[in-house]
Structures are given as C-alpha cells and as structure tokens.
Amino acid sequence: MSEIATPEELRVAVLGAGSNGAIVAADLAEAGVDVTVIDQWPANVEAMRAHGIRVQLGETVRATAVPAYHLCQVAELREPFDVVFLLVKAYDTRWAAELIKPLLHENSVVVGVQNGMTGDAIAEVVGRERALAAVIEVTSAMYTPGLSERHSAHERCWFAVGALDPTAAAHVPTVAALLSHVGIVEEADDIQSAKWMKLVLNVAELVTSAVLDLSISDCARHPGMRDVMLAAGNEAIAVAQAHGYQVRPIFGMEGEAAASPETYVSAILDNLVANYIRTDSRATVLQDWMKHRRSEVSELHGEVVRLAREYGVAAPVNEKVWELGIKVEEGELIPSTVNVELMRDALRQPMLVPARAAQPSSPRREELR
C-alpha cells in the first residue's frame, strides 16, 4: 500500500458479505472505492451478481454493483488487495485469514471487523505488521440472499480501529478513512480493551436475548432479564480488571457512568437500546439459529469463562448462558421466554462484583483465541 494512496486508490476486499459485510461493501463502492466481495453463502454471491448488493434502509432499497466471488474462486484471483476487511464469524477468522493471505502484498493490511477477540488470530496468520482489529456496531439483518436490512443509518453506526502492534499503526488512518463511509470512526490507542468492552456488551445482549427468542430490546424489558444481562456483563468487566484491560467508553459515550466499572454495563446497555437498535432488532445469534447455523456463543461467553477460570474469577451467569446456547445449537433446548428462570438460577451463585481499581500500567499480552 503506497503511503500516498488515498482510500479511493486502494483495492479493497470484503471477506464475509453477510448483513454487515454487505453494508460495508456497498457503502465503500458508493463512495468510489474499488471493492471486491467474497462470501461463503453460494446463494448470496449469485444474488449479488444478479442484482448487486441490495441494502434496505427504511422503505428505500439501494442496489450497488460490486464484483462478487465464491470462496472456491479465491484461488483464481491474482491481483493483490491493499486492504481486506474480515466480516466472517469469529470462529471462521483463522481459516479466512489463511485463505486471503496469498492475495496480500508486503504493505497490505487485514482488518477484523468482528465481534470477539479475533485480532491475535489474524496477526498470527498474516503478521502483526499487517493486522488491525476493529469494534463494530452496525445493526442489521439478512434473511434473503443479497438483501441486507440496515437498521442503523450512518450516524448510528460506530467503529473503533486500532493496531495490535506499533508496526501496524501506520495503517490505522487509512482504514479509519475507509470505514468513515459507513459510520462514525474512532482511532483507538488500545484496541484490545475496546474489543473487550464490546464483548462485555455482547455477552449481556446477544445470547441472552436469543435463548428467549426475543429482540434485544424486548429481552432488556422482559421481567427478570435485566438482572441477568447486567450480571453477564459485570462478570466480563471483572475479568477485564483481572486481565488488565482498561474499562473505557465505546460508541462515543462520555461521562462517569460510561467509564466506571460499577456502572459501565448498565450505561452501555441503556445507550444501545435507546440509540442504536430498533425495537425489533434480533441479535446476530438469533439470526444464526433461525438459519440453523452455528453461532458465536463459545467465542463470546466461552471466552469470558476461559479467562475467568485463568484468573480465579467467578462467572456463573456466563457459564449458564454458554451452556444454554450450546444446548440450543445441539437441539436440546428450544428458544423461549420459559428459559428465563434457567438463566436466573445462576444469579444465586456467588460472583465477583466489579469495583474501581487502579489500572495496570500495561495490559498483559496473552493471546485470546
């Protein structure tokens, strides 16, 4: 990637064109960026080839022509990409990075625009000097191939972008400029902490609402569920403190409540429900289950539990929600509001309540996979 290249001069790939990937690709293409889409859902690729990427926002559907390829066709491509946005599921990160690696040049960069702590997996494959991580908050859904239902307009989409290693820092402004076509972008100096703060919100909202077969908003208002959601998030905050991650506001939030460990989860959950999602917005986990697909339950709750065990931190709510999510995926449990008490049972177990503590001078650098 040339140091003087503008975003419009770059060759960009979006690997993973589900609901969010389709929005990113369409917005970049509309801004004049040279974008190529690669996806693993055959019907999705064929629909995009036939009709362009269709994005519905309100009553308006916009179609944007973008070259689209099946995974099996990546081996046929020869011209390298300057920037690759990974928008595959967290559990697909490592093989997706390997898939695209032959199409990188020395100064290319791969950006994990995903939930979960995927940055280190990307860096291990392509090198830390070519890896960035990003936090994404874009509310959307895809139930029809080639059609992304966008629930949040540009001003309600938010990204944080940062380097895991100083050798990749020069890529951050370029990637931030690209993503600014999609939403509001923050350049983060501690992207791992920002990623974990998004995971805090994810464990509060995604699987909890999916296990009840409710939208995120309806789950937050369902009797007995706010306590469960806050407890799951607070356990992840306690893990963050034990590990050395900084408790920091995301989504452009400000104020004491958004920076304090004691009030962080309630502040960010309330902000999400009030400002970022529609009342009918289903969690990505529930969308996966509706399509009979595997979700990221283990990459979210499983990661909290893994790190909690490493530090001796109690995480009973995350353990229970993880267990229930796996049972749904294995066909042993049907998503329903009758599952509330199954999650609330975990509240009766002792857990560490987050408290304000002095932040370590630097976070530990264990690899989170």
Side-chain angles (χ1 to χ4, degrees):
M1 188 189 314
S2 170
E3 294 183 1
I4 60 174
T6 65
E8 292 73 21
E9 296 172 319
L10 302 173
R11 290 198 76 241
V12 176
V14 174
L15 177 46
S19 57
N20 285 344
I23 289 168
V24 170
D27 280 2
L28 291 178
E30 291 284 344
V33 178
D34 180 359
V35 181
T36 296
V37 165
I38 303 164
D39 196 54
Q40 59 184 317
W41 185 10
N44 197 34
V45 173
E46 293 304 319
M48 290 178 178
R49 286 176 169 178
H51 309 292
I53 298 175
R54 290 172 295 155
V55 177
Q56 180 174 358
L57 179 60
E59 299 300 318
T60 301
V61 178
R62 182 188 70 199
T64 305
V66 173
Y69 293 89
H70 298 283
L71 291 182
C72 60
Q73 295 178 299
V74 172
E76 302 171 11
L77 303 178
R78 293 292 181 268
E79 189 175 354
F81 295 105
D82 300 303
V83 180
V84 177
F85 290 110
L86 287 190
L87 285 107
V88 296
K89 295 295 183 182
Y91 51 74
D92 286 330
T93 299
R94 189 174 296 275
W95 69 255
E98 290 283 5
L99 177 74
I100 207 67
K101 185 178 179 180
L103 290 170
L104 305 179
H105 54 70
E106 182 180 356
N107 294 314
S108 298
V109 62
V110 179
V111 192
V113 191
Q114 307 157 285
N115 291 329
M117 305 300 289
T118 60
D120 284 315
I122 296 170
E124 288 171 11
V125 175
V126 305
R128 298 186 76 82
E129 73 283 0
R130 297 195 296 186
L132 297 184
V135 179
I136 178 172
E137 181 53 42
V138 176
T139 307
S140 62
M142 179 177 280
Y143 303 108
T144 302
L147 175 63
S148 178
E149 300 175 13
R150 183 170 187 168
H151 297 171
S152 49
H154 180 282
E155 63 275 9
R156 289 303 179 190
C157 296
W158 186 91
F159 301 88
V161 181
L164 285 76
D165 189 277
T167 57
H171 294 300
V172 173
T174 299
V175 171
L178 287 168
L179 289 176
S180 69
H181 294 301
V182 188
I184 309 302
V185 184
E186 173 186 331
E187 296 184 22
D189 56 3
D190 180 5
I191 191 60
Q192 292 289 65
S193 290
K195 290 282 286 180
W196 191 269
M197 293 303 104
K198 178 62 188 300
L199 186 144
V200 167
L201 176 61
N202 287 159
V203 298
E205 58 160 342
L206 296 184
V207 186
T208 51
S209 60
V211 168
L212 300 189
D213 193 23
L214 292 176
S215 72
I216 296 171
S217 292
D218 287 345
C219 179
R221 299 182 179 96
H222 192 82
M225 275 307 298
R226 182 176 173 83
D227 289 344
V228 173
M229 298 171 84
L230 295 182
N234 281 330
E235 289 175 2
I237 288 288
V239 170
Q241 292 178 303
H243 185 69
Y245 289 131
Q246 301 255 346
V247 177
R248 53 177 295 163
I250 56 176
F251 303 167
M253 295 170 61
E254 297 178 345
E256 176 69 12
S260 168
E262 300 94 329
T263 56
Y264 184 87
V265 181
S266 59
I268 194 172
L269 180 62
D270 291 344
N271 184 38
L272 176 85
V273 172
N275 299 313
Y276 283 90
I277 59 174
R278 297 191 331 198
T279 57
D280 62 342
S281 292
R282 296 185 178 102
T284 179
V285 171
L286 183 53
Q287 294 182 47
D288 289 335
W289 291 349
M290 292 171 66
K291 299 171 186 174
H292 306 289
R293 294 177 179 175
R294 174 184 170 194
S295 77
E296 296 170 315
V297 58
S298 292
E299 286 68 30
L300 300 173
H301 296 277
E303 185 63 17
V304 173
V305 172
R306 183 191 71 79
L307 215 54
R309 290 172 179 169
E310 179 178 335
Y311 291 106
V313 176
V317 175
N318 278 278
E319 288 188 8
K320 176 56 69 173
V321 176
W322 184 20
E323 173 192 332
L324 297 178
I326 294 298
K327 285 185 176 181
V328 170
E329 297 196 349
E330 293 178 348
E332 298 179 18
L333 185 72
I334 297 174
S336 167
T337 54
V338 302
N339 297 327
V340 170
E341 288 307 312
L342 295 177
M343 285 185 278
R344 287 190 59 81
D345 280 344
L347 294 176
R348 301 181 179 93
Q349 301 180 42
M351 72 183 79
L352 178 64
V353 178
R356 183 176 298 280
Q359 297 289 350
S361 58
S362 61
R364 292 179 58 180
R365 296 187 60 174
E366 283 88 352
E367 294 171 352
L368 299 184
R369 298 191 288 271

